[in-house]
Amino acid sequence: MTAFLIDDAARGSLAAGHPTVVAAPGMTGLEALPLAVLRPDNGVLRLDGAAPGAAVPLPPGLRPLAILAPDGDAAAPLVAGLPFGIPPLIGHDPMPGLMALLVQTMADLRAERLALLGAPGSRPPAARRMLIDLPPVPQEASLPQRIAQHFGRPAEGLASIALHVAAARATAASQLRVRLLAAGRVLAAWVVPGDEVQGGWLALDLPRPAPPGPAEAVLDVAVETASGETLVLSAGGLGATAPLALRAEVAELHHLVLPRHFDWAACDLHALVPGVAMPLAPQAMQAASLSGASQRMVAAGSEAPRMMLDIEPGATATLQPPSLSPGAADLALAELTCRLGDPSSLRASLQAGPEGGAGRDSGWRLADPNGALRISLPLPADLGGGLWLTLVLRNTGTAPLAVEVSTLALMAGAAGVPRRPPPGLGASAFAAATQPLRLAVPLPGDAPPAPIEAAPLAIGLPGPAPNPPAAPPPLLGGEAGAPLPPPAPAAVMPMAPPVAVPVVAGEMAPGGADFQDIKLHQHTTNTDGSYQHIDLSLTGLVAPAGVWREARLKLFDRRGTVGLEFRRIKGWPAMFEAWPHGGSDQYGPFWRVETQGTAEAMSKLTSAQDRAMLAALMELLPGLARHAARVAGLPPEEHDNWAERGRIMSAAVDATRGAPQRPSVGPG
């Protein structure tokens, strides 16, 4: 425990980051040092030459650089009364020790910076914790025909399941089917083709941790093998009733990933939350094919490892994860950061589409001066059996680049855009599972579901398999009356205490509008300067009221009248739920809202969803206009002028709703 108090002025100097030392009585000649010197005064550390102030406790985490003392006896009380680990420098001339200490401190800071910029790390994500670790036990006896393994605890918080594969010699004709159930509901389901099953641990992630509820978790496992193929799962004990070798991790509800092999249509609770980006699971990133660059995983502290790509001058790198199950996702997202090298040398594009079909391409995008780059790409409407993402990076400079792939993710919930039901999910079930702005979680008082019925489940063993039926029976839904196996004895399945997971409210938390990416289409000014406009589009517009995957607008200034123009023509997205009829010209229909007659124009918006979209655009408009002016290469004073036009337009629209006007936007 720290025995010394500290003067409030000295605490402020230390908190501000000024290099500070604590000097013992008898240390002189420190006035010329570029350091703040603290001296003990009746148990209070005070600044040399400053008037005494109020004494306060030394805040945790604030540490002086060193203790200066002429001898060990003078240093002892300071070492005892200050936080542990502050080095004492003994002697009347502290300069050599201080110089060595500063050199070491600089080296430590440099090492920390390199760690943040890409030092290798292998620690697991801090948000997940191992709950069950039941290792495989070699045995000759085969596992039971049907495996339905009880966890002995609620499903709440489960984020990842792993099964151990003893032997795998199979093609895509064989399958491993797994479902996680609780109280008759299918919380998660996976279908893994046989050619992607390898020996060892097979991790199966949930898109988000299982929701709260007291019902016990049950894992239902089936291996369907083609003739002559083998898929054998390991047991976690000896004997015919031994459980499966199993690992299970838990996480808090905000932990989101886009899992591989996930069977979206088989789940009772749709797992994509509107407006939330779900990153690809680590297994998908590690299995991605890469050409044109070298790859390493990096992390700082206990955070999740991220992918770093080293790209040589003039090289083009291509990163393609395995095929994904998109569920009802509308947008693909990529977030990159140029950690080392010249950010202006980086070009990046994101591509998405079905295998062998027509996809979409974002085109080349540039990083900002800080090296950050965010790309949002609307997904094609027809993806067939799976989605392929491709990230292409090009180094146009003369020095190597280190580019961190911070995020590859999918987002669901584009309001005003027809949602794409996952294959096999009926329209009514899809509509119920994808209600906007709500999380589909079981609530207290729900009617109890129908009891689970079990059917025999064949576990693939070496040798020929019987001919499969014309239509494979559904998991846990075939022969009525076949009871599930009893829970595994506690002695062979060690359990950790249930993790405390906070309850999430049904409504999304309120927040400001945001967007994923911006594109400038045009900036034009007529010859006398009486008219000018900026034409721009956004992808991934997000607000508490919804998500729009594409939006486009034209901000104009006509002789001091500021306005917005929207078009219903080719090249413009269908962003309105109900088109607000305005005028028409040789290019087609348009709707304008201006600082003159604003209320009349706003009355044309008859859809609450359209009004919410315009409100989101108004919230962002000053910053969007400034950004577009910067991209257009206009001088800095024009950046402010366009931001002010956006503020004026936002204020005019706000006035029609009786909202307070927004403050003026200054430079920045």
Side-chain angles (χ1 to χ4, degrees):
M1 178 180 293
T2 302
F4 285 104
L5 298 177
I6 188 169
D7 187 280
D8 192 47
R11 181 199 60 82
S13 176
L14 191 59
H18 298 155
T20 305
V21 295
V22 177
M27 288 297 297
T28 59
L30 304 180
E31 297 80 5
L33 295 178
L35 300 169
V37 179
L38 305 182
R39 295 187 187 271
D41 178 14
N42 294 321
V44 180
L45 300 175
R46 302 190 187 277
L47 277 172
D48 264 2
V56 297
L58 182 65
L62 292 183
R63 298 163 55 88
L65 184 65
I67 297 171
L68 308 184
D71 51 47
D73 291 339
L78 296 179
V79 172
L82 289 170
F84 176 77
I86 301 175
L89 302 181
I90 306 301
H92 288 279
D93 183 7
M95 284 305 298
L98 279 174
M99 289 301 298
L101 182 61
L102 289 173
V103 169
Q104 182 60 47
T105 301
M106 292 300 295
D108 293 342
L109 290 174
R110 181 176 180 274
E112 182 178 352
R113 176 178 178 270
L114 290 176
L116 293 173
L117 295 182
S122 58
R123 298 186 184 181
R128 284 159 59 155
R129 180 174 67 85
M130 186 71 73
L131 178 73
I132 301 172
D133 188 1
L134 189 61
V137 175
Q139 64 171 355
E140 296 181 0
S142 62
L143 292 171
Q145 287 290 304
R146 179 61 182 251
I147 298 180
Q149 183 156 323
H150 294 249
F151 279 54
R153 73 172 302 277
E156 177 176 337
L158 286 174
S160 181
I161 307 295
L163 301 174
H164 193 272
V165 180
R169 294 185 298 274
T171 67
S174 300
Q175 289 182 334
L176 173 64
R177 294 180 175 270
V178 183
R179 298 199 303 177
L180 178 65
L181 307 115
R185 297 190 179 194
V186 181
L187 302 184
W190 302 266
V191 178
V192 187
D195 58 348
E196 296 196 32
V197 180
Q198 299 177 354
W201 288 104
L202 173 66
L204 303 171
D205 292 311
L206 282 75
R208 64 181 182 195
E216 183 187 13
V218 179
L219 197 65
D220 175 60
V221 183
V223 178
E224 302 171 358
T225 53
S227 177
E229 298 186 354
T230 301
L231 288 179
V232 181
L233 298 180
S234 302
L238 300 175
T241 60
L244 287 169
L246 179 70
R247 287 177 177 172
E249 292 182 317
V250 291
E252 296 186 359
L253 289 182
H254 65 269
H255 181 87
L256 301 174
V257 298
L258 184 72
R260 292 196 67 198
H261 310 303
F262 199 77
D263 188 358
W264 300 93
C267 300
D268 293 338
L269 304 178
H270 200 273
L272 276 179
V273 184
V276 175
M278 306 185 71
L280 271 61
Q283 297 89 339
M285 294 296 291
Q286 293 168 6
S289 63
L290 174 66
S291 63
S294 59
Q295 167 194 336
R296 51 199 169 101
M297 302 303 292
V298 302
S302 60
E303 67 183 12
R306 306 173 308 281
M307 179 178 290
M308 187 78 72
L309 302 180
D310 295 306
I311 310 172
E312 293 299 319
T316 298
T318 301
L319 178 72
Q320 185 176 69
S323 177
L324 305 169
S325 300
D330 304 304
L331 287 169
L333 310 175
E335 293 184 346
L336 313 170
T337 305
C338 184
R339 292 297 188 186
L340 293 174
D342 182 4
S344 65
S345 301
L346 176 63
R347 305 287 186 272
S349 73
L350 182 63
Q351 303 163 11
E355 184 176 12
R360 292 190 174 183
D361 190 334
S362 68
W364 291 116
R365 304 295 180 88
L366 307 180
D368 67 17
N370 296 321
L373 174 60
R374 182 173 56 180
I375 304 175
S376 175
L377 181 67
L379 299 180
D382 183 13
L383 291 175
L387 167 67
W388 290 89
L389 291 180
T390 304
L391 183 64
V392 183
L393 306 174
R394 178 175 295 172
N395 182 357
T396 62
T398 58
L401 294 179
V403 180
E404 177 188 315
V405 183
S406 307
T407 301
L408 270 181
L410 297 185
M411 176 182 281
V417 177
R419 298 289 301 279
R420 177 179 57 258
L425 189 62
S428 59
F430 176 76
T434 56
Q435 289 295 320
L437 306 184
R438 301 196 67 84
L439 300 178
V441 296
L443 300 177
D446 282 355
I452 304 176
E453 297 178 347
L457 194 59
I459 297 298
L461 300 174
N467 293 329
L475 300 181
L476 292 184
E479 299 176 9
L484 291 171
V492 298
M493 183 176 287
M495 296 290 176
V499 65
V501 180
V503 177
V504 176
E507 297 289 336
M508 285 181 65
D514 197 3
F515 64 95
Q516 295 297 330
D517 200 22
I518 183 174
K519 179 180 179 181
L520 175 67
H521 292 283
Q522 185 185 52
H523 166 259
T524 186
T525 305
N526 65 1
T527 54
D528 63 359
S530 60
Y531 173 85
Q532 53 183 322
H533 75 238
I534 283 181
D535 184 355
L536 59 91
S537 62
L538 304 175
T539 51
L541 175 64
V542 183
V547 181
W548 295 262
R549 64 182 186 182
E550 291 180 278
R552 184 171 175 177
L553 57 95
K554 184 186 293 184
L555 176 64
F556 63 85
D557 184 338
R558 185 181 62 247
R559 297 183 177 87
T561 297
V562 180
L564 286 178
E565 179 179 287
F566 301 88
R567 289 278 178 174
R568 194 180 185 183
I569 58 177
K570 183 178 180 180
W572 283 64
M575 48 193 289
F576 289 94
E577 185 177 59
W579 174 251
H581 292 284
S584 184
D585 56 19
Q586 67 269 30
Y587 302 107
F590 62 81
W591 175 68
R592 294 182 184 133
V593 55
E594 304 178 356
T595 49
Q596 302 294 327
T598 310
E600 181 181 355
M602 290 294 294
S603 68
K604 303 290 183 67
L605 287 178
T606 59
S607 162
Q609 192 63 58
D610 293 343
R611 291 194 294 271
M613 176 192 65
L614 192 68
L617 289 174
M618 292 303 100
E619 180 178 342
L620 298 169
L621 190 57
L624 291 176
R626 181 188 301 278
H627 185 91
R630 186 181 299 120
V631 173
L634 301 180
E637 60 271 17
E638 279 299 298
H639 303 173
D640 296 339
N641 292 340
W642 278 106
E644 180 64 13
R645 292 182 182 103
R647 187 202 66 79
I648 291 171
M649 188 69 254
S650 298
V653 172
D654 281 350
T656 66
R657 302 194 300 266
Q661 294 192 358
R662 304 177 190 272
S664 179
V665 180

